[in-house]
Amino acid sequence: MALLKIARMGHPILSSVADPVDDPTDPAILTLIENMFDTMLDAPGVGLAAPQVHVPLRVVVYYVPEGRATEAEEGGAGVDLSALINPVLTPLDADTDMAREACLSLPGMSGLVPRFKRIGVQALDLTGKPFAREVSGYHARLLQHECDHLDGILYPMRMDDLTSFGYNEELSLRESDTDDQASVDGPEEDMTGEVGAE
Ligand code: ZN
C-alpha cells in the first residue's frame, strides 16, 4: 500500500491537460491505479484523478457508495472500486441537475455545480479492455467531476453562482444548503444528503 500526496488547488498540475495512457497494460499503470485506490480510500473520497496525485495521465479511479446509485441503473447497490483509463464522456441529452460537490484538492470546501444527468462513458478498464456504458445521477456527476480533472478543470470553474461556494464549516450554518449536500471526491463525512433531482 502506498499513499500518494494529493495536490491542492493552485498547483499547476491541476490546471494542466493530462496525457493519454499509451500502453494500458504497462505494469506501472496498474501500480498507479492500486496506489490511487489506497489514496482515495484513505483520504477518504469516492473518486480520484491521476493529476490530483501529481501524475499527468488520463486515469481516474472511483466507486459509487451503496445508496448513492440510482435505483434504475444499479439497483441502488453502488459500484465497486473501478478505474477508467483514457475515458471519454458524452452527454446523452441536455438535461442537467444541480448538487453540492467537494474535492480532495479543495479540502473543507464545497459548492453547487450543474452537471449533465445522463452520460455515455467510453474507456479502458484496469486490464486495458475497452468498454462503453451509460450512467446517470450520482455516478454521472462523479465521472464528470473526475474527468474534468484530466482537462485541468476544477469544480468551481463549472459553477454558475459562486455564492454557494465556501468552507463547509461556514456553509453548514445555512439551512438552505443542507438539503442538497453531496460529495464527489470529498470526504465521506460531507455526504449527508441527497444528490439533486433524481
Ligand atoms: Zn476533485
Side-chain angles (χ1 to χ4, degrees):
M1 170 160 168
L3 297 180
L4 306 172
K5 188 172 183 212
I6 298 175
R8 289 178 300 171
M9 186 176 180
H11 192 293
I13 196 152
L14 293 175
S15 51
S16 304
V17 176
D19 295 323
V21 173
D22 287 333
D23 179 7
T25 62
D26 182 342
I29 297 298
L30 188 56
T31 300
L32 169 66
I33 287 170
E34 287 171 348
N35 289 339
M36 286 173 67
F37 282 151
D38 290 341
T39 304
M40 173 181 75
L41 294 172
D42 178 75
V46 295
L48 190 66
Q52 290 183 279
V53 291
H54 304 85
V55 176
L57 290 174
R58 303 187 81 80
V59 176
V60 158
V61 300
Y62 73 101
Y63 74 103
V64 178
E66 194 180 339
R68 281 286 177 182
T70 59
E71 197 62 35
E73 190 193 24
E74 350 269 355
V79 176
D80 286 341
L81 281 180
S82 302
L84 303 179
I85 299 171
N86 299 342
V88 175
L89 305 186
T90 312
L92 296 179
D93 54 48
D95 283 356
T96 60
D97 65 5
M98 192 74 90
R100 184 162 291 279
E101 295 187 12
C103 181
L104 295 173
S105 296
L106 288 76
M109 305 189 82
S110 66
L112 291 174
V113 185
R115 298 285 186 187
F116 293 106
K117 285 185 179 179
R118 296 173 59 243
I119 56 169
V121 184
Q122 287 179 284
L124 307 175
D125 68 16
L126 83 180
T127 65
K129 197 173 116 221
F131 71 95
R133 64 176 299 186
E134 295 180 2
V135 300
S136 61
Y138 185 85
H139 193 169
R141 172 172 293 276
L142 175 54
L143 294 190
Q144 288 169 84
H145 177 116
E146 299 310 330
C147 291
D148 266 357
H149 280 299
L150 306 181
D151 291 324
I153 297 168
L154 299 173
Y155 75 82
M157 297 156 71
R158 294 288 192 193
M159 292 178 66
D160 295 329
D161 177 1
L162 286 170
T163 60
S164 71
F165 178 53
Y167 290 96
N168 294 329
E169 285 174 2
E170 306 290 353
L171 291 165
S172 67
L173 301 174
R174 287 158 47 180
E175 282 293 316
S176 60
D177 279 327
T178 57
D179 285 345
D180 46 22
Q181 285 278 331
S183 170
V184 174
D185 66 40
E188 198 86 33
E189 58 264 31
D190 289 341
M191 297 174 19
T192 54
E194 298 303 310
V195 157
E198 281 297 328

